[in-house]
Amino acid sequence: MSDPTALDPRLAEAARHVPLARATLDRLRRPRSSLEVSLPVRGDDGEVRSLAAYRVRWDTTRGPGKGGVRFHPEVDRAMTERLALGMTLKTALLDLPYGGAKGGVRLDAKQASAAELERVARAWVSGMADVLGPERDIPAPDLYTNERIMAWMVDQWTATVRGHQPAAFTGKPLALGGSHGRTTATADGAKHVIDALAPKLDLAGDPPTVAVQGFGNAGAELAEQLFHAGYRVVAVSDSRGAILDHGGLHVPSVRRVKERGEGLRSVLCEGSVCEAREHERLEPGDLLTLDVDVLVPAALGGVITEANADAVRAGVIVEVANEPVTAEADAILAERGVTVVPDVLASGGGVTVSYFEWVQNRQGLRWGAEEVARRLGERLRATAAETWGRAEELGVPLRTAASALALERIDVAASARDSLT
Ligand code: GLU
């Protein structure tokens, strides 16, 4: 019996560095299940339109599927499958008792009203109900989904199964069984990873300079944490534009202004006197090639490609988005000595606190904010150190080391399941 389906090239590269049972790699060639459904949803204009929706469990060797649901116009089956494989590696690297999954709806969420989003969220749960559940596959927020959407989803689930099962979804509001620390978890996790690796990274600047692409839930929070920690955040961007200040942006006020819906700029207030600060504007794409110590892509995937990898001047890239650096760009960056802290590690805080939420739900209790923060810090710092150690030992980039560690964990579980003795 042999299967000609090609293994993901980055996995194949990692697999060269660890002894694995052949059956383990075979498991990772194709999704365990990949469901595509059509969701007829009524818009506010009264018209019913059918939206393409997906849920993929790539692998469930180590536990139930786990991963977010994104609402984005570029969502398709191939993207969802790739991201579900990414989640498989992420949960294994972090040693969470899950496999990996991902879901999505092909939809421009920015153009949808709250009422339309609610109908889409509820339709998604109804459409996917056969494959979900706290011990089967547990969705969470991702791009353009948030705790409000998870609230509609878990409410729909309650109606579907005729009972309360808060552990079926994570990233819920606190009032519906959410966990402390979930909304800032991705940024908190990235900050722990940066702190753990900072002494080893060659951050030349004093203070080190940072550019953040994507000023959303994760990017804005991380930018603010880095600002408070003494980093000089010189540029941030969102989907509409980017601002630059070589002297350093006042990130808290940039955030406040953006949250008021006034775009990207900062306003500094002393007492009752407020002064609008004018910043240089740049094309969002140009942010990626600024001369900074740390570049944080925290928006969409595939932004650093073979077309611009040569122009990247940062010494360190911290992948807070899913898959911002393509495989071709990875090779160029490795050649040039740029350290890429891979998404499976740098953005692992979200799913880690999702796991804590699921544990709390299953036990019917709530941990305090400090306990969540402590556990998150311990796990992310330990995983960062372990990944760094493995990279040094194997003489490979961090991404390959992270995948190798993940593959090893999947292999142990797969071998335990498959063993004849
Ligand atoms: N969407 C997040 C991720 O890509 C979180 C997933 C989760 O919490 O299950 O890691």
Side-chain angles (χ1 to χ4, degrees):
M1 292 192 304
S2 77
D3 174 1
T5 314
L7 192 66
D8 177 271
R10 293 198 226 185
L11 266 193
E13 165 59 18
R16 293 201 304 116
H17 299 278
V18 276
L20 299 170
R22 213 186 94 79
T24 303
L25 288 178
D26 266 355
R27 278 171 191 261
L28 297 174
R29 280 182 209 280
R30 275 167 285 105
R32 184 84 180 161
S33 99
S34 178
L35 184 58
E36 174 172 355
V37 302
S38 174
L39 305 178
V41 180
R42 190 177 302 279
D44 291 344
D45 59 2
E47 293 284 319
V48 175
R49 291 180 192 81
S50 283
L51 303 173
Y54 305 87
R55 186 65 182 176
V56 176
R57 278 179 302 159
W58 192 270
D59 183 63
T60 53
T61 305
R62 302 182 68 262
K66 186 83 195 83
V69 184
R70 60 173 56 181
F71 288 178
H72 194 269
E74 280 163 25
V75 166
D76 62 14
R77 183 191 283 259
M79 174 198 278
T80 314
E81 291 186 347
R82 238 187 17 256
L83 292 168
L85 167 60
M87 286 306 301
T88 303
L89 299 177
K90 192 184 280 192
T91 57
L93 174 69
L94 291 157
D95 205 9
L96 307 175
Y98 296 132
K102 203 79 173 194
V105 181
R106 196 173 174 87
L107 161 80
D108 189 355
K110 280 197 265 184
Q111 305 297 327
S113 69
E116 287 173 330
L117 290 175
E118 174 177 4
R119 291 194 286 275
V120 174
R122 291 184 184 278
W124 190 87
V125 171
S126 301
M128 303 297 173
D130 285 341
V131 297
L132 303 179
E135 279 154 13
R136 190 173 292 160
D137 185 357
I138 307 119
D142 197 80
L143 267 188
Y144 294 104
T145 51
N146 54 20
E147 62 171 38
R148 186 173 62 157
I149 286 176
M150 301 325 290
W152 291 321
M153 287 191 170
V154 76
D155 188 59
Q156 188 65 28
W157 185 253
T158 306
T160 306
V161 301
R162 302 278 192 271
H164 283 276
Q165 278 185 359
F169 292 82
T170 61
K172 306 177 295 293
L174 266 183
L176 294 181
S179 174
H180 285 294
R182 181 62 185 82
T183 40
T184 58
T186 307
D188 295 340
K191 178 65 170 43
H192 284 300
V193 170
I194 293 170
D195 287 348
L197 298 185
K200 305 171 201 294
L201 296 170
D202 187 18
L203 301 177
D206 183 21
T209 52
V210 185
V212 180
Q213 187 209 31
F215 208 62
N217 174 38
E221 175 66 26
L222 179 62
E224 183 159 351
Q225 291 190 18
L226 290 170
F227 168 86
H228 289 304
Y231 286 76
R232 185 181 295 154
V233 180
V234 297
V236 299
S237 69
D238 64 10
S239 58
R240 275 171 292 184
I243 54 173
L244 168 71
D245 188 334
H246 288 290
L249 297 164
H250 188 267
V251 180
S253 79
V254 177
R255 212 173 164 190
R256 257 197 323 272
V257 172
K258 163 138 185 167
E259 273 159 17
R260 288 205 304 254
E262 295 171 34
L264 285 180
R265 64 193 175 85
S266 57
V267 175
L268 282 181
C269 297
E270 271 179 54
S272 58
V273 184
C274 294
E275 176 205 346
R277 300 220 304 190
E278 283 313 317
H279 303 292
E280 231 177 281
R281 299 206 161 257
L282 71 166
E283 287 303 312
D286 293 342
L287 178 141
L288 299 169
T289 54
L290 287 175
D291 188 5
V292 286
D293 295 307
V294 183
L295 174 64
V296 182
L300 296 173
V303 293
I304 301 175
T305 65
E306 74 195 306
N308 61 359
D310 262 326
V312 167
R313 278 183 287 170
V316 178
I317 298 177
V318 180
E319 290 189 321
V320 170
N322 285 305
E323 301 190 339
V325 177
T326 65
E328 295 78 20
D330 238 358
I332 298 169
L333 295 167
E335 182 85 1
R336 296 186 44 225
V338 177
T339 303
V340 179
V341 183
D343 54 358
V344 285
L345 175 62
S347 76
V351 69
T352 301
V353 176
S354 275
Y355 164 60
F356 297 157
E357 180 176 337
W358 181 79
V359 169
Q360 293 169 73
N361 291 155
R362 286 158 66 95
Q363 295 184 337
L365 48 75
R366 172 166 293 148
W367 301 346
E370 274 125 56
E371 176 159 10
V372 173
R374 178 181 56 76
R375 288 176 184 262
L376 174 68
E378 281 170 8
R379 192 170 292 242
L380 270 286
R381 284 166 190 260
T383 308
E386 193 181 14
T387 308
W388 184 273
R390 183 56 69 93
E392 295 227 294
E393 199 183 296
L394 296 174
V396 296
L398 288 170
R399 189 188 315 280
T400 309
S403 301
L405 280 165
L407 281 177
E408 233 168 50
R409 294 202 169 111
I410 297 167
D411 187 57
V412 174
S415 303
R417 283 181 193 273
D418 298 346
S419 168
L420 289 175
T421 51

